[in-house]
């Protein structure tokens, strides 16, 4: 019988100390996109939150971010230039100091790069179209520019290797550029990068190939590579359903020897409307036997994690690690009853939440929220956030209508 405390070995030999993962969450701690002391304090406090910690989504290209940002010292982090390497090296070292693994999530935010125009940058998208909620100009990538973005993912992977990370996660979820290329809603291209389902797969597949080529050339043999995906994109329009996304994952796992697939979910046991099975169960055949599966979504306690483990290989926790950075250690040592379940002004300090995270989660409009949030409302700086930042917060939610509040 699977236990949360099992040691898990990935296909290339890397072993983690338990089945728990800290999900990537934007900390809004970047100072001009670079690691700050707030960033280091936050991750240093989470070196025992899980057997594997995935560092927040990090821009691989100058025009690929920042997203969900509202000030120069509250930005998304980046790794598109060597100047970011010293800070990221410190993050990797801080996370690995207790023997757990550090993974860096790589992203191009596409249309979600809300702060880019404020920095005089171009916001890049697969197709020029009108998005009613976006009030800044968008640039449709040329075929040559798409090829360069692919190379940017490879260059970012090399920097992650140089910084000492144990692996990278390709962010193909949560409405960022890779998902925008895969989505029929946002990709209307007529070249090799869009059109049919097969052509909409070309960009994600090209990114995976580039990352794997760089890893094979430069990384240690046991370097971990994962891919994150939102199983469906269904709002007022349908970008894709699980019937299509499982085909993408099968194409990835058939052609490239990834270590894991990470399903981005609002609720770990979520099901599509047309099936009685969970997304975790539906994706298993496409993932295959050699690749580990990670699920996330409203795992707030040891009991939740044990329940989620029935469906998967590894369980990711997000908000629970914001409240109690030692949650993984407590579960590993049989002290699950000591897990702190509610945020408070005292716990904000103990957990080394960044000023950006404090401002987000002390906003009464923020969803998903932290239990106990009413105790930290007084810490909120009024008027500092807007709908671009708040709409999905730092969460993995792809449809908050289905989120269990």
């Amino acid at each position: 019988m699977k236990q949360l405390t099992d040691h898990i070995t990935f296909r290339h030999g890397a072993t983690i100390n338990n089945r728990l993962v800290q999900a990537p969450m934007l900390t809004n701690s970047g100072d001009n996109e670079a690691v700050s002391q707030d960033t280091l304090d936050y991750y240093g406090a989470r070196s025992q939150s899980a057997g594997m910690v995935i560092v927040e989504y990090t821009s691989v290209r100058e025009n690929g971010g920042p997203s969900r940002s509202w000030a120069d010292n509250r930005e998304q982090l980046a790794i598109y230039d060597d100047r970011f390497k010293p800070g990221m090296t410190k993050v990797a070292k801080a996370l690995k100091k207790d023997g757990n693994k550090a993974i860096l999530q790589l992203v191009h935010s596409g249309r979600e790069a809300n702060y880019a125009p404020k920095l005089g940058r171009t916001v890049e998208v697969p197709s020029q179209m009108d998005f009613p909620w976006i009030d800044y100009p968008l640039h449709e990538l040329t075929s040559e520019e798409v090829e360069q973005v692919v190379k940017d993912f490879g260059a970012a992977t090399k920097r992650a290797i140089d910084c000492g990370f144990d692996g990278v996660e390709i962010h193909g979820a949560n409405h960022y550029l890779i998902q925008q290329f895969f989505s029929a809603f946002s990709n209307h291209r007529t070249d090799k990068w869009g059109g049919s389902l097969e052509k909409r797969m070309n960009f994600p597949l090209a990114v995976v190939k580039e990352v794997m080529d760089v890893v094979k050339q430069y990384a240690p043999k046991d370097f971990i590579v994962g891919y994150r995906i939102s199983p469906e994109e269904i709002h007022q329009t349908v970008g894709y359903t699980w019937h299509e996304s499982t085909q993408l994952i099968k194409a990835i796992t058939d052609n490239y020897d990834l270590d894991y697939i990470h399903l981005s979910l609002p609720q770990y046991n979520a099901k599509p409307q047309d099936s009685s099975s969970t997304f975790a169960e539906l994706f298993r055949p496409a993932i295959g036997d050699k690749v580990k599966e990670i699920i996330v979504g409203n795992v707030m306690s040891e009991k939740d994690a044990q329940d989620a483990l029935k469906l998967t290989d590894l369980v990711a926790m997000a908000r629970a690690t914001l409240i109690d950075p030692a949650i993984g250690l407590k579960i590993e040592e049989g002290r699950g009853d000591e897990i702190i379940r509610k945020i408070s002004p005292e716990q904000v300090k103990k957990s080394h939440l960044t000023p950006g995270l404090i401002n987000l989660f002390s906003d009464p409009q923020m969803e998903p929220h932290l239990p106990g949030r009413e105790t930290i409302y007084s810490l909120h700086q009024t008027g500092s956030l807007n709908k671009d930042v708040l709409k999905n917060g730092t969460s993995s939610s792809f449809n908050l209508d289905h989120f269990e509040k």
Side-chain angles (χ1 to χ4, degrees):
M1 183 179 171
K2 290 185 290 186
Q3 301 291 332
L4 293 171
T5 52
D6 294 339
H7 285 220
I8 295 297
T9 301
F10 292 101
R11 69 190 304 172
H12 296 110
T15 298
I16 58 175
N17 295 325
N18 52 58
R19 292 182 182 268
L20 298 168
V21 176
Q22 178 178 310
M25 289 172 288
L26 174 62
T27 61
N28 282 111
S29 63
D31 188 352
N32 292 306
E33 301 177 282
V35 166
S36 65
Q37 189 58 49
D38 289 331
T39 314
L40 293 174
D41 292 344
Y42 170 86
Y43 283 111
R46 283 161 179 79
S47 62
Q48 294 177 301
S49 66
M52 185 169 86
V53 177
I54 306 173
V55 173
E56 63 197 88
Y57 71 147
T58 303
S59 298
V60 303
R61 180 174 169 88
E62 188 172 22
N63 288 345
S67 68
R68 309 283 167 89
S69 303
W70 65 90
D72 290 349
N73 63 347
R74 295 288 183 271
E75 288 181 356
Q76 175 193 10
L77 299 175
I79 197 163
Y80 58 78
D81 189 272
D82 284 350
R83 73 176 183 271
F84 299 114
K85 285 167 64 173
M88 281 297 183
T89 300
K90 291 177 184 176
V91 170
K93 187 177 179 182
L95 281 173
K96 293 167 65 168
K97 67 179 184 283
D98 293 304
N100 294 315
K101 301 294 184 187
I103 309 295
L104 184 64
Q105 189 185 61
L106 304 177
V107 76
H108 184 306
S109 292
R111 67 172 184 257
E112 299 296 322
N114 73 299
Y115 202 67
K118 295 178 177 64
L119 302 175
R121 298 179 188 173
T122 302
V123 178
E124 299 171 333
V125 293
S127 298
Q128 181 66 53
M129 58 182 287
D130 178 50
F131 298 95
W133 62 91
I134 288 178
D135 58 3
Y136 41 84
L138 303 175
H139 166 70
E140 180 175 318
L141 290 160
T142 66
S143 186
E144 293 75 18
E145 287 169 335
V146 176
E147 298 279 4
Q148 184 56 53
V149 174
V150 171
K151 290 176 185 172
D152 292 337
F153 272 92
T157 301
K158 175 62 166 60
R159 292 188 188 102
I161 295 165
D162 294 344
C163 291
F165 284 96
D166 299 298
V168 293
E169 178 175 282
I170 301 164
H171 197 355
N174 299 12
H175 301 106
Y176 298 119
L177 188 69
I178 293 178
Q179 179 170 326
Q180 291 165 29
F181 266 94
F182 185 57
S183 166
F185 167 65
S186 50
N187 185 347
H188 302 156
R189 300 177 72 100
T190 55
D191 59 5
K192 73 172 186 176
W193 303 110
S196 65
L197 172 61
E198 290 70 25
K199 287 185 176 180
R200 285 187 282 115
M201 289 185 189
N202 283 339
F203 181 69
L205 288 168
V207 169
V208 174
K209 180 182 186 304
E210 179 72 17
V211 168
M212 294 304 291
D213 286 349
V214 169
V215 167
K216 283 173 185 172
Q217 187 173 355
Y218 297 107
K221 187 182 175 183
D222 62 353
F223 194 80
I224 300 165
V225 180
Y227 186 94
R228 197 178 206 206
I229 189 167
S230 297
E232 293 191 321
E233 183 187 293
I234 301 176
H235 300 291
Q236 289 78 18
T237 57
V238 178
Y240 60 87
T241 70
W242 68 272
H243 299 279
E244 295 163 311
S245 56
T246 49
Q247 291 180 61
L248 172 60
I249 293 304
K250 189 171 190 312
I252 290 172
T253 56
D254 280 353
N255 289 285
Y256 305 103
D257 52 349
L258 267 67
D259 292 277
Y260 71 82
I261 297 294
H262 187 174
L263 301 189
S264 185
L265 298 162
Q267 182 67 30
Y268 66 84
N269 53 4
K271 301 174 183 178
Q273 292 182 353
D274 62 351
S275 176
S276 58
S277 298
T278 63
F279 286 113
E281 293 164 320
L282 293 168
F283 271 75
R284 188 72 259 182
I287 291 172
D289 296 332
K290 294 181 179 178
V291 182
K292 303 299 183 190
E293 182 178 36
I294 302 177
I295 60 173
V296 70
N298 214 20
V299 178
M300 296 299 291
S301 66
E302 182 177 19
K303 184 180 176 184
D304 291 341
Q306 287 168 337
D307 191 47
L309 188 59
K310 297 171 187 173
L311 302 169
T312 189
D313 300 306
L314 296 152
V315 178
M317 304 173 293
R319 290 171 299 139
T321 67
L322 296 179
I323 299 169
D324 191 343
I327 185 169
L329 178 66
K330 289 176 179 178
I331 290 173
E332 198 171 340
E333 293 182 346
R335 299 187 289 122
D337 58 331
E338 296 177 24
I339 293 168
I340 297 163
R341 304 281 297 279
K342 290 185 177 181
I343 197 65
S344 64
E346 181 188 19
Q347 197 57 24
V348 161
K349 292 177 184 175
K350 286 183 178 177
S351 65
H352 290 277
L353 290 187
T354 67
L357 283 172
I358 294 167
N359 213 30
L360 273 173
F361 284 102
S362 61
D363 190 314
Q365 299 178 70
M366 176 65 181
E367 291 296 349
H369 62 266
L370 297 181
R373 66 175 173 177
E374 62 281 355
T375 67
I376 62 169
Y377 284 166
S378 61
L379 304 179
H380 186 66
Q381 296 173 14
T382 351
S384 59
L385 305 181
N386 60 33
K387 63 179 183 358
D388 291 330
V389 176
L390 277 173
K391 58 185 172 183
N392 276 344
T394 58
S395 82
S396 64
S397 301
F398 57 93
N399 191 339
L400 283 173
D401 295 337
H402 297 151
F403 182 76
E404 292 188 2
K405 296 180 184 176

